[in-house]
Every structure is written in C-alpha cells, then in structure tokens.
Amino acid sequence: SSVSTMSTNGHQTTAAAADLATTNLSLLSSNISDVATVAWDLHVLERIMSNEYPHQVILPAVGNSETNTSSENEDLRQIITGVLVESSEQITPIVHRLWHEVIVNILTAKCSGPLSAVKGVAATYRMTNRPPPTHASPFVATILKPLQEFDFEFSNKTPPQIGARWKLAVVTTVSQGYSAAVEELITTVQRTEVALKNRKARRTAAGVVSDGEKVKRQLFLDYREFSQMIQDLNIDVNAVSGLLKFKTLTADAACHYTTN
C-alpha cells in the first residue's frame, strides 16, 4: 500500500542520514568557510524537513488526495510527519559536530600558530639596553584574528542551537597553550638571571630595570591585550582557565601600569 511504501522510504532516508552522521566529518574540508557553509545548509534543510515541508507541502497534498479514504490520509499524514521529523533529527548532530569539532579544531590550529613567538620576547630585551615596554608585543594582536574574522563573517549564519560554546572552546585551548608558553619562558628567564648573579657577570645598579623584569612587564602588557581581545569576542574572561593562569603569572608586573 502507499502507506507501507512511504514508511519504507522514510526509514531508508533515516538510515542514510544516520550513515552520514557517523562519517568522519573532519575529512570534509580544511577550508573553514566551506565547513561553515555546509553546516548552515544542513541547518536550513533540517528546519525545512521538520517544519515547513510537512505543513506547507506534504500534508495539504495528502489532504487533497481523492484516491485514499480519510483514514488512509490520516495515516499518511502521521507517517510522513514522523519520517521527516525522524530524518531531520539525524541532521542536528552533524551540524553540532561540524561546529564543535571541525570548525573548533581548524580555528584552534590557526590561532595557536603565533604562540611560537612567545619565546622571542626574552630575546627582545636580553642584553639590548632597550627601555621597559609600553605596548603589547605585535604578535599578540594576530593570535585570535582568525577567530575574530570568522565570527564576523558567519555571525548571521550560525545556527541558533550552536550558541557561543564553540568560541569558548577555541579560546580555552589557545589560552592554555599561551599560558604554558609564558610559564616556560618565565622559568627560563628566572634561571638565566640567577645564573648571571651567581657568576657576577653583570651588576644591576639601583633603579635600573633588569632584562628579566622587562620581560615580565612585556608579558603583562601582552596578557592585558590578549584579555581585551577575548572580551571583544563577548566571552567571559573568568571562564577561561588559561587566561586566569596567564594573569597570575604576570601579576607582579601589574603595579607598573595603570589598568584600563
């Protein structure tokens, strides 16, 4: 019967969607714009399948059928609605995975690239007689730039159910890597200063800022700039564990600068 056929086709559609949901979505593309576009198209498809198509197309057509009894038409309505809803529910996990796995991973990798410049902060001041810093390091502004640009481009094409958790995931991982690099740098600088003092290789006159202190001040200015960038993304800085650690690591230098 038509009801039986519709049920069979519906289950085949659902099975196909389930197969797609188990696909390794990270293989879709390394182009983040392509991934976001696919995610948006799937979101639109899910909305059409679960809301618009059943009510605006299928159900009126079934209701106007003269070849079936009213009872058969009602059965068809229930089957079609159930099949479409069931199939659309298979799409939602795919959209979530595209955003929370693929997009997050791509952005995390892009934003983590500039962190290799952290270790260069020490070389900027080591035995160069440079004055204490007054601005953040140039590379800091580039760290979250990929995230900022993507968020701006797709702000109107982010499915409502996605929310902002994906942004927090990117910032959390990047800030953890950043704070780890800063901690390693501070440890290295402290060891170097201790070694220099022990060997009496250099004497610091009263009132002269040591190279190590300059590095710490620079890291504080970098922290402040990075923190502001996170706030500009509408993310609660207190929810970012790596940033809180970064703040603690550079807190000793904060007294040399007025806060914004």
Side-chain angles (χ1 to χ4, degrees):
S1 68
S2 59
V3 173
S4 173
T5 301
M6 181 66 71
S7 178
T8 300
N9 291 339
H11 286 300
Q12 290 174 344
T13 302
T14 303
D19 290 340
L20 178 58
T22 59
T23 302
N24 186 352
L25 296 176
S26 63
L27 299 178
L28 271 178
S29 174
S30 59
N31 186 322
I32 195 169
S33 295
D34 290 345
V35 178
T37 299
V38 169
W40 178 254
D41 289 344
L42 286 172
H43 164 68
V44 172
L45 176 61
E46 184 273 334
R47 186 182 62 199
I48 291 174
M49 290 177 64
S50 61
N51 295 303
E52 299 173 14
Y53 197 67
H55 295 94
Q56 297 179 12
V57 181
I58 297 298
L59 297 185
V62 171
N64 294 330
S65 174
E66 298 179 355
T67 59
N68 299 322
T69 66
S70 59
S71 177
E72 288 178 327
N73 284 340
E74 182 58 31
D75 288 341
L76 277 173
R77 288 192 188 95
Q78 293 180 4
I79 290 174
I80 293 172
T81 301
V83 165
L84 290 174
V85 170
E86 184 179 357
S87 297
S88 68
E89 288 174 349
Q90 300 292 338
I91 297 177
T92 301
I94 302 174
V95 174
H96 276 273
R97 288 180 61 197
L98 284 172
W99 276 90
H100 297 301
E101 293 181 24
V102 182
I103 289 176
V104 164
N105 290 341
I106 293 175
L107 284 173
T108 299
K110 288 185 175 182
C111 293
S112 297
L115 297 182
S116 60
V118 173
K119 58 186 177 183
V121 173
T124 301
Y125 296 100
R126 185 179 298 125
M127 304 181 73
T128 60
N129 291 322
R130 288 180 178 237
T134 57
H135 298 88
S137 302
F139 76 88
V140 177
T142 69
I143 298 174
L144 296 181
K145 188 175 181 180
L147 175 57
Q148 292 171 325
E149 293 178 343
F150 176 82
D151 187 37
F152 177 79
E153 181 180 358
F154 288 93
S155 60
N156 294 326
K157 287 191 174 181
T158 304
Q161 68 271 25
I162 295 302
R165 188 164 58 89
W166 64 277
K167 284 196 290 186
L168 178 59
V170 174
V171 170
T172 295
T173 302
V174 173
S175 65
Q176 287 172 345
Y178 197 173
S179 63
V182 167
E183 184 174 32
E184 182 178 352
L185 177 61
I186 290 176
T187 300
T188 300
V189 168
Q190 290 174 337
R191 288 175 178 171
T192 300
E193 286 203 314
V194 169
L196 289 173
K197 287 179 180 179
N198 290 341
R199 297 170 188 172
K200 297 183 179 181
R202 179 174 54 175
R203 295 181 182 275
T204 301
V208 175
V209 181
S210 69
D211 293 345
E213 178 61 26
K214 292 175 186 178
V215 171
K216 294 175 184 178
R217 293 186 188 186
Q218 182 65 73
L219 291 174
F220 169 75
L221 291 173
D222 293 350
Y223 152 76
R224 195 166 64 175
E225 174 81 2
F226 186 61
S227 177
Q228 184 59 55
M229 293 174 66
I230 293 176
Q231 292 182 61
D232 291 343
L233 287 164
N234 295 318
I235 295 176
D236 180 6
V237 294
N238 293 315
V240 184
S241 58
L243 184 64
L244 296 177
K245 181 178 180 180
F246 195 171
K247 180 179 181 179
T248 300
L249 290 169
T250 59
D252 290 344
C255 61
H256 299 287
Y257 303 92
T258 57
T259 57
N260 294 331

